Amino acid sequence: MAETGRLPTPVTENWDWQLDGACRGANSRLFFHPESERGHAREKRENRAKAICRSCPVLTQCRDYALTSQETYGVWGAMGEGERRELLKGRRRELRMALSAR
């Protein structure tokens, strides 16, 4: 489960971007994998979801939300779970290196 302390405050303005999402009304199964999905099937589903994301007017807000809240599951802002995990890992590594250089 995501750490809720990283979520934006429950103020409407912090969440209104979701109303403009290209995914709004789409089947959520496209963005979140079923438990047993692997390999080519997962890649194909994620690519379809990311195609929707790439046309989205709120892609940046969605991606920022997913990275800030460290969203564990699904495609958010045209990034899959593994892509977000690797990006966050790289950011943590850079931060550790910067702190150790002080």
Side-chain angles (χ1 to χ4, degrees):
M1 179 161 63
E3 169 57 45
T4 58
R6 293 186 290 259
L7 295 175
T9 56
V11 176
T12 303
E13 292 80 26
N14 293 333
W15 299 94
D16 278 350
W17 60 267
Q18 293 180 0
L19 298 173
D20 297 322
C23 62
R24 193 163 169 84
N27 189 331
S28 63
R29 287 190 238 187
L30 184 58
F31 296 89
F32 297 92
H33 68 85
E35 193 173 319
S36 61
E37 184 184 59
R38 302 282 185 268
H40 182 68
R42 186 172 192 163
E43 182 180 339
K44 186 177 175 182
R45 180 195 47 77
E46 278 193 358
N47 286 338
R48 288 194 337 256
K50 289 175 184 180
I52 292 171
C53 292
R54 284 191 288 276
S55 71
C56 186
V58 295
L59 181 143
T60 302
Q61 295 95 318
C62 182
R63 183 177 289 169
D64 289 347
Y65 159 77
L67 292 169
T68 300
S69 64
Q70 297 182 24
E71 189 65 55
T72 308
Y73 300 106
V75 173
W76 294 82
M79 291 184 82
E81 300 162 6
E83 293 165 310
R84 288 192 308 278
R85 194 170 32 253
E86 287 302 312
L87 180 63
L88 290 169
K89 189 188 316 182
R91 286 182 180 178
R92 286 190 293 270
R93 188 179 321 114
E94 289 174 11
L95 180 59
R96 281 193 308 273
M97 288 171 46
L99 291 173
S100 67
R102 287 183 174 182

